[in-house]
Amino acid sequence: MGLLLASASPRRQELLRLITKDFTVLPAAVEESLPPALSAEEAAQYLARKKAAAVSAQHPKDLVLGSDTMVLLGDQILGKPGTPERAAEMLRLLSGKTHRVITGVALARGGVLRSFQSETAVTFYPLSEEEIAAYVATGEPLDKAGGYGIQGYGALLVKEIAGDFYSVMGLPVAQTARMLAAFPPANP
């Protein structure tokens, strides 16, 4: 029995290596749609649970870790922009404001599913059009929730954070380590 990471995110892999080097990457093939009645605050944990459960159904003896990160400005979820134009729009929205980053984490094995979420407040400096264009030109924001990566060039946009830095990267390391340690042992 091993630990399976139900995510292809290189950042989550890097962060999980701070806890253990003994894991296998097996991304969950799930539709990331959300039920209409679900609040924005619940979305990250919902998707983390969905990913962990999907991989666990195929590998019930393995411990599966699923995770998802949401960037919220008010009640608006800012996903991965995908295009430079959308990334620039998101950065304009975040400019000079405080937003929330919520990362949900779920562990599943043999029908047992546990989860938590971590919330961090991130405040951006007011950004000029030149700063936005320069950051978008790096290509970094295209595949990141909210259109920025705090661990890369996006660090230049951030005035302050209140909460777990690693949660903003995609995996709250200390809390995840404690959850892994406390997860019930596998049944023989």
Side-chain angles (χ1 to χ4, degrees):
M1 289 183 294
L3 176 61
L4 303 178
L5 176 61
S7 172
S9 164
R11 290 159 299 282
R12 284 199 184 93
Q13 293 171 38
E14 174 188 344
L15 294 174
L16 187 54
R17 281 188 200 97
L18 296 174
I19 301 168
T20 180
K21 303 215 182 335
D22 187 21
F23 66 91
T24 302
V25 176
L26 188 60
V30 297
E31 175 63 41
E32 292 195 22
S33 59
L34 300 169
L38 194 70
S39 74
E41 288 79 12
E42 298 169 308
Q45 192 167 182
Y46 170 84
L47 290 174
R49 291 174 67 91
K50 190 173 179 179
K51 291 173 184 180
V55 173
S56 186
Q58 300 300 314
H59 302 272
K61 293 185 179 193
D62 293 307
L63 183 57
V64 179
L65 188 152
S67 185
D68 199 85
T69 300
M70 295 280 172
V71 173
L72 303 175
L73 183 60
D75 288 335
Q76 181 181 5
I77 297 174
L78 301 179
K80 296 175 184 175
T83 68
E85 297 77 21
R86 183 67 184 126
E89 287 173 26
M90 287 183 182
L91 294 169
R92 285 185 200 102
L93 287 172
L94 297 172
S95 175
K97 296 183 183 130
T98 299
H99 60 277
R100 296 176 295 152
V101 179
I102 300 175
T103 296
V105 178
L107 288 176
R109 178 175 48 214
V112 177
L113 180 64
R114 301 221 172 126
S115 63
F116 71 89
Q117 67 183 30
S118 172
E119 182 172 328
T120 302
V122 179
T123 304
F124 271 21
Y125 283 104
L127 305 174
S128 69
E129 283 299 314
E130 292 76 21
E131 288 172 303
I132 290 170
Y135 181 55
V136 171
T138 68
E140 185 178 272
L142 301 183
D143 69 339
K144 302 200 178 40
Y148 74 96
I150 197 168
Q151 72 281 3
Y153 296 113
L156 298 170
L157 314 175
V158 177
K159 181 177 181 182
E160 64 185 19
I161 71 167
D164 187 331
F165 173 83
Y166 293 115
S167 183
V168 180
M169 275 184 70
L171 189 69
V173 174
Q175 202 171 354
T176 300
R178 283 163 174 72
M179 186 176 178
L180 281 164
F183 201 81
N187 292 330

